[in-house]
Amino acid sequence: DATVRIADVPASNGIVHVIDRVLLPTDAPSPNANSATALIDYAIDRGAPLYNDGQPGATVAVYEVAITALLESECGALSSAVQRELRSALRASRTDARERATLLRRALDTARMATSDRMTSAR
């Protein structure tokens, strides 16, 4: 049921299509701080090289998908304060892709630190 919102975004590893919802396999693992951390790390590992390669729009797409996935499926691993920051970053209207990518990255960094703290305190 997903709709393509932006098609054919060039990326260093191919072409990206931005869709209007997060797709998860039906057998997705249950949310926890470890999977949230892994998703954040994955998004940053994919988004940062795009940004550094002069493709901030593609970086924004990667970060928006990751944040949406975190909010839709990982809320149990994120505090309400972190959820608010992620939602605020998604809602912020920035016309410049570099500025938007930076704003979204800061929100991901905050979430990353929070999930790391939760994993440490759970041990």
Side-chain angles (χ1 to χ4, degrees):
D1 295 332
T3 302
V4 174
R5 295 295 181 186
I6 304 171
D8 302 328
V9 178
S12 62
N13 62 343
I15 301 292
V16 175
H17 302 296
V18 180
I19 59 175
D20 64 352
R21 62 183 65 228
V22 176
L23 302 178
L24 295 174
T26 55
D27 60 342
S30 61
N32 62 48
N34 192 34
S35 60
T37 301
L39 177 57
I40 294 165
D41 289 346
Y42 188 78
I44 291 170
D45 287 348
R46 297 305 181 272
L50 293 170
Y51 185 89
N52 294 335
D53 195 33
Q55 300 179 59
T59 303
V60 167
V62 169
Y63 291 168
E64 285 177 340
V65 168
I67 290 171
T68 301
L70 286 166
L71 291 170
E72 293 293 323
S73 65
E74 302 292 344
C75 286
L78 301 173
S79 71
S80 57
V82 170
Q83 290 177 46
R84 277 192 304 275
E85 181 164 346
L86 292 172
R87 284 189 181 96
S88 175
L90 283 177
R91 283 192 306 266
S93 59
R94 300 277 195 264
T95 55
D96 179 66
R98 287 190 176 280
E99 194 176 321
R100 182 149 177 79
T102 300
L103 176 73
L104 294 170
R105 171 62 190 269
R106 285 188 187 134
L108 284 170
D109 288 342
T110 297
R112 175 66 169 86
M113 288 189 332
T115 58
S116 294
D117 292 346
R118 277 192 150 175
M119 286 172 42
T120 302
S121 65
R123 291 181 188 168

